[in-house]
Amino acid sequence: MRENKKVQFFAFLSIYFIVPFSACFFTLIFANYTSTAFLPEKFLALFEATRTTNDFTLFALTWAPFPIITSILLFYSMPVANYIFKKEKCNIISEEKARYRIVHSPMIISLFGFIGWELSTFLSVLRIDTLYPDAPPQSILTVTILFAFWGLFAFAFSYSTTNFLNKTLIIPNVFPTGGLGKYAKGKQFSIVTKQIIFWTASTLFPIILLIFGLLQRTNQNLFQLHTLLHTDVLFEVIAIMLFFSFLFSVTFAISLQHPLNQIESATELIKEQKFDTRVTIFSSDELGLLGDAVNEMAEGLAERERIKDTFGRIVDPRIRDYLLSNEHSLGGKVVEATILFSDLRDFTKLSEKRTPEEVLYILNRYFQEMSNAIEVHGGFINKFIGDAILAVFGTPIPMTNHADKAVQTALEMQKNLDELNKQFLAEGLTELKMGIGIHTGSLLVGNIGSTNRMEFTVIGDTVNTASRVEGLCKGLQKNLLITENTAKYLLESQNFRLQLEGEFELKGRESKEKIFSYAAT
């Protein structure tokens, strides 16, 4: 652990201080060392003269940007240092700020160094021009161009090095599972921009140096370059090669960026569950393989969503999600819940007089209205048993007031049935009558069956009791009956609606059960 801290400390110092400073320092040394090969002798004489003048203003303008930039970088790096070395003391806001800065550090650091370099070049040349107004214009222009390009070289070196160190030593520890896109999206150099930067630093700048070296050795000046391009084949070849090298570099970068942009857009659409999204990449390299993989992934997700949707039509979507997020093993757990059991009265006789198509039509409309009432109140339909419905409240989705929700559901089911009967009578169909029994108690919820074919269901005496209570509705001429156990869970404000119907010995049980009817109004 301590070794890791040392590595991160070294990486932090390198990225925020050592590399940016070294890039500028060594570039400046190399620029001064090679200046005799590229700069006009008149400027070199002028350069020597500025050293002997000991002009404080020139010294300040030349070096002042760098300590200022260093101070800014020190301030910029503080949240990162606190996060890396004192993470336990950081809050959510400071963590997010540090993560953002870590992702953007290479670009920000290099840009600050580049700004400092170019500002120093501009101010120092401006001061030299003020001190020596008779200085040759070509000398001033030449040094401005060359040192400006040296600054770009320092920028490219700083950016590539800090980016490498950041990705290798810092980011893996801060983002061990990835997730940089949240912080980097739309605020990083594009592939084309990076290619242009590195082409400028690695191709254009060396050629510029060679051109200035040729001008120096042939006693030509910068203002004669336009003429040389028309008269000297060597300069024409250089110009043509620069043009084509730039064209090749940008074209290559675009050939990478365009398919990557397609893939990025496609993945964003897939994240929005638009699984019909496809990318078309005409490439046989890794990008082509990546595009094919994205398409296959979208097809797989579309198929998975279709299966999930079909599954959600067969079972309650909440049960579907519950099953998909848990292990599929036999067994279950005992919970306290409320069972609602409803059944149509005399539906067998009604079915005898109608065709199967008519019976199915009536049942489907009935089940739709009853399902709506059950789902609105948070219950789930465990199964349809012929024309009966077994609904559960309080499991597998926990519910504190499951008994009250079950009763409210029963009332709405009856209301929906009344509306449906009006429609049936208008269509010349027979009206339906329904009985509902509700009981609250312990039951087992889980998977039953075999290892290769199982069903998610609820079983136990509570389920049987609810079914038996519903069976009393016809004899008592009541639409809704509840047990004493359920009545205990109801809100006190609803007790006045309860009416004791008596104690009944339910089928299959030795003890008697107090049964209550519930008045809707």
Side-chain angles (χ1 to χ4, degrees), residues 45-79:
L46 184 65
F47 189 66
E48 290 298 326
T50 57
R51 292 181 178 178
T52 59
T53 58
N54 294 322
D55 183 68
F56 177 77
T57 304
L58 178 61
F59 176 82
L61 293 176
T62 302
W63 296 104
F66 293 102
I68 294 173
I69 296 298
T70 302
S71 300
I72 294 173
L73 288 179
L74 179 63
F75 174 78
Y76 182 83
S77 67
M78 290 307 296

Side-chain angles (χ1 to χ4, degrees), residues 270-445:
I270 292 172
K271 281 171 60 178
E272 298 173 3
Q273 299 190 354
K274 297 178 180 178
F275 300 128
D276 58 340
T277 302
R278 298 292 183 272
V279 294
T280 305
I281 297 177
F282 303 104
S283 176
S284 59
D285 56 15
E286 292 86 347
L287 289 173
L289 296 176
L290 180 60
D292 291 341
V294 170
N295 290 338
E296 291 174 8
M297 177 186 69
E299 290 172 5
L301 289 172
E303 179 65 15
R304 178 176 177 272
E305 190 66 19
R306 187 187 68 79
I307 294 172
K308 184 178 177 182
D309 181 64
T310 303
F311 188 21
R313 293 175 185 272
I314 297 173
V315 300
D316 188 291
R318 291 164 297 172
I319 303 305
R320 173 200 64 194
D321 296 338
Y322 174 83
L323 292 173
L324 292 175
S325 61
N326 288 274
E327 293 184 3
H328 306 297
S329 57
L330 293 174
K333 59 182 179 179
V334 176
V335 297
E336 189 83 7
T338 299
I339 297 294
L340 181 152
F341 194 92
S342 71
D343 195 12
L344 289 176
R345 297 179 194 167
D346 302 323
F347 191 74
T348 303
K349 294 181 180 179
L350 184 147
S351 301
E352 290 177 356
K353 302 176 183 178
R354 299 188 179 277
T355 64
E357 290 80 7
E358 289 178 319
V359 172
L360 184 62
Y361 172 76
I362 293 171
L363 273 180
N364 284 339
R365 290 184 62 181
Y366 165 74
F367 284 144
Q368 181 64 59
E369 294 299 326
M370 300 306 105
S371 299
N372 291 341
I374 294 169
E375 292 172 3
V376 163
H377 290 90
F380 87 90
I381 298 173
N382 179 249
K383 62 184 68 176
F384 296 107
I385 310 168
D387 59 338
I389 300 174
L390 173 59
V392 186
F393 295 80
T395 186
I397 312 300
M399 185 185 298
T400 55
N401 55 342
H402 47 81
D404 183 66
K405 288 291 186 181
V407 172
Q408 294 302 317
T409 299
L411 297 177
E412 185 158 346
M413 288 172 66
Q414 191 59 57
K415 180 180 176 182
N416 289 358
L417 181 60
D418 291 340
E419 293 295 324
L420 183 62
N421 280 331
K422 291 179 183 179
Q423 298 175 24
F424 281 162
L425 290 175
E427 296 173 20
L429 301 174
T430 305
E431 65 177 355
L432 304 177
K433 295 180 180 180
M434 172 180 64
I436 299 175
I438 298 176
H439 178 56
T440 301
S442 298
L443 52 85
L444 182 70
V445 57

Side-chain angles (χ1 to χ4, degrees), residues 83-125:
Y83 179 75
I84 293 176
F85 305 112
K86 299 179 181 179
K87 187 175 180 180
E88 64 280 356
K89 296 182 180 180
C90 292
N91 55 35
I92 297 296
I93 297 176
S94 58
E95 282 189 12
E96 287 296 296
K97 180 187 291 186
R99 286 170 174 264
Y100 179 87
R101 292 191 178 182
I102 286 170
V103 171
H104 293 273
S105 288
M107 182 177 69
I108 297 298
I109 292 168
S110 304
L111 281 175
F112 272 125
F114 178 70
I115 292 170
W117 180 284
E118 299 302 333
L119 191 60
S120 173
T121 298
F122 175 76
L123 293 176
S124 58
V125 170

Side-chain angles (χ1 to χ4, degrees), residues 184-253:
K185 188 174 181 181
K187 297 180 180 179
Q188 292 286 315
F189 289 133
S190 67
I191 292 176
V192 174
T193 303
K194 289 179 182 178
Q195 186 70 9
I196 292 174
I197 291 172
F198 292 123
W199 173 83
T200 304
S202 62
T203 302
L204 178 62
F205 181 47
I207 297 298
I208 293 293
L209 288 179
L210 291 176
I211 290 175
F212 279 111
L214 289 173
L215 292 175
Q216 170 71 4
R217 297 187 181 195
T218 57
N219 295 319
Q220 305 288 335
N221 63 56
L222 186 61
F223 297 112
Q224 294 174 315
L225 184 60
H226 178 71
T227 303
L228 291 172
L229 285 173
H230 292 282
T231 58
D232 194 320
V233 175
L234 180 60
F235 283 94
E236 289 179 353
V237 171
I238 290 174
I240 293 171
M241 293 305 296
L242 278 178
F243 171 77
F244 279 105
S245 67
F246 177 78
L247 186 64
F248 294 153
S249 296
V250 173
T251 303
F252 175 72

